[in-house]
Amino acid sequence: MIYNLREYIIIPICIICCILTYIIYNSWNKPIAIDNNHYKNYSSLLKYGIDECNIENGKAFISGWAISDKSIKSNVADAAQVFLLIGNKTYHLKTRSRKRVDVAKFYSLPDTFNHSGFYASAYLPELNNYDKKTVIIIKGLEKNKSGFKYDCK
């Protein structure tokens, strides 16, 4: 009798787990709309490279690397933030760091810049309504922000 019950319980539990995983992933990965004044106060003291900036069919994927002049001098790495400017709206995308040994090797600071890479992705249906899509990458906090704008083609 217990074996019979086990057959009927396992499948619904697996389905519930899959649904919960999907819901949690989408709620954490959702871009956050912010006011356009948030990113205006930064200097352009960044060295950077954009590997990929692909925005089509409502999906955005941006990857590359960036290090600030201040982090080179202080030998302390800082995390990147990726923003997407579409029309008059700005979205803060969930940004993850990525290992970039080539950048660390070039600047001869392997411990500091091993994770100078970043990537961000999002699904925004309104991406299809605008021709110009600008990505803004910012590193640092508060008064020590550095950043740049990049127009995705």
Side-chain angles (χ1 to χ4, degrees):
M1 181 153 169
I2 292 177
Y3 293 112
N4 253 351
L5 269 168
R6 204 182 291 173
E7 288 177 20
Y8 295 110
I9 292 176
I10 290 177
I11 292 175
I13 288 176
C14 289
I15 291 171
I16 290 170
C17 287
C18 290
I19 291 170
L20 286 175
T21 302
Y22 178 79
I23 290 169
I24 290 170
Y25 174 78
N26 282 331
S27 66
W28 285 343
N29 202 32
K30 191 173 185 179
I32 301 165
I34 59 171
D35 63 345
N36 283 348
N37 295 324
H38 181 76
Y39 63 86
K40 288 184 179 175
N41 298 324
Y42 63 80
S43 62
S44 59
L45 302 172
L46 273 185
K47 294 177 177 23
Y48 66 90
I50 299 294
D51 298 326
E52 185 176 352
C53 189
N54 188 2
I55 300 177
E56 60 187 8
N57 300 326
K59 296 177 186 170
F61 181 80
I62 299 101
S63 69
W65 62 272
I67 51 178
S68 66
D69 285 353
K70 290 183 181 188
S71 64
I72 293 172
K73 292 173 187 166
S74 67
N75 219 7
V76 177
D78 44 12
Q81 300 175 56
V82 176
F83 297 85
L84 188 56
L85 182 62
I86 309 163
N88 61 354
K89 290 185 181 178
T90 303
Y91 294 93
H92 186 188
L93 306 184
K94 178 79 173 173
T95 309
R96 295 163 186 89
S97 67
R98 175 178 276 174
K99 196 167 189 169
R100 290 299 298 256
V101 179
D102 57 331
V103 176
K105 192 180 289 186
F106 181 80
Y107 286 99
S108 301
L109 296 167
D111 294 335
T112 305
F113 298 126
N114 265 346
H115 294 281
S116 59
F118 62 85
Y119 68 100
S121 62
Y123 175 71
L124 289 164
E126 57 266 28
L127 284 173
N128 297 328
N129 300 334
Y130 295 94
D131 291 333
K132 185 175 180 185
K133 291 121 182 164
T134 303
V135 175
I136 300 163
I137 313 296
I138 296 178
K139 294 200 68 135
L141 300 170
E142 303 304 325
K143 295 177 184 175
N144 296 323
K145 283 184 183 176
S146 299
F148 66 91
K149 289 184 179 180
Y150 181 84
D151 289 328
C152 289
K153 311 271 189 250

